[in-house]
Amino acid sequence: MSAPFEERSGVVPCGTPWGQWYQTLEEVFIEVQVPPGTRAQDIQCGLQSRHVALAVGGREILKGKLFDSTIADEGTWTLEDRKMVRIVLTKTKRDAANCWTSLLESEYAADPWVQDQMQRKLTLERFQKENPGFDFSGAEISGNYSKVFPDMASGRPF
């Protein structure tokens, strides 16, 4: 599913049959639509460094090996308005070069356009974090994102 690049929101979602997932430099968010009225005791959620599993009312919704590692102790899930489960995973590698191209190793890949928008967003987020006094809201990012960019504060050109 394609989504518009929202500079201010920081979210470039990747749609899935059960909801969506998106990422920031530090975290991956999974939003799963569940039947209205779902109760917390109906949810079974297992979060490990490289695996996630979610079942609602005994029905498996999501299960598999994550695209990359996360900090298992920091993973959380919440039931929101009794109709959505939000899972928040903290990435082990927290930099713009670590843009997940899919949620699981073999499933829920972002299409090329969404991947590009995610990488742009993470790059802008990194620039803003490294240079808090600068406004990057109107910045145009293009090119090979896998290159390591020098620190902007050093004054060295890209």
Side-chain angles (χ1 to χ4, degrees), residues 9-40:
S9 74
V11 174
V12 179
C14 180
T16 66
W18 38 257
Q20 66 181 10
W21 69 274
Y22 55 93
Q23 63 187 310
T24 64
L25 280 174
E26 299 184 355
E27 297 173 314
V28 174
F29 298 82
I30 305 168
E31 295 178 348
V32 179
Q33 301 303 314
V34 296
T38 297
R39 299 170 302 154

Side-chain angles (χ1 to χ4, degrees), residues 66-86:
L66 294 165
F67 179 80
D68 204 349
S69 64
T70 62
I71 301 172
D73 295 6
E74 295 183 16
T76 61
W77 69 269
T78 56
L79 175 61
E80 299 182 12
D81 299 325
R82 298 182 72 177
K83 62 182 180 180
M84 183 185 74
V85 174
R86 182 187 316 267

Side-chain angles (χ1 to χ4, degrees), residues 1-7 10-13 23 99 110-124 141 145:
M1 176 173 118
S2 294
F5 177 49
E6 297 284 339
E7 275 189 305
V11 174
V12 179
Q23 63 187 310
C99 181
D111 67 44
W113 187 87
V114 171
Q115 285 180 26
D116 180 65
Q117 298 307 307
M118 284 179 170
Q119 186 62 65
R120 287 174 189 242
K121 191 64 195 167
L122 293 184
T123 301
L124 284 173
I141 302 293
Y145 308 112

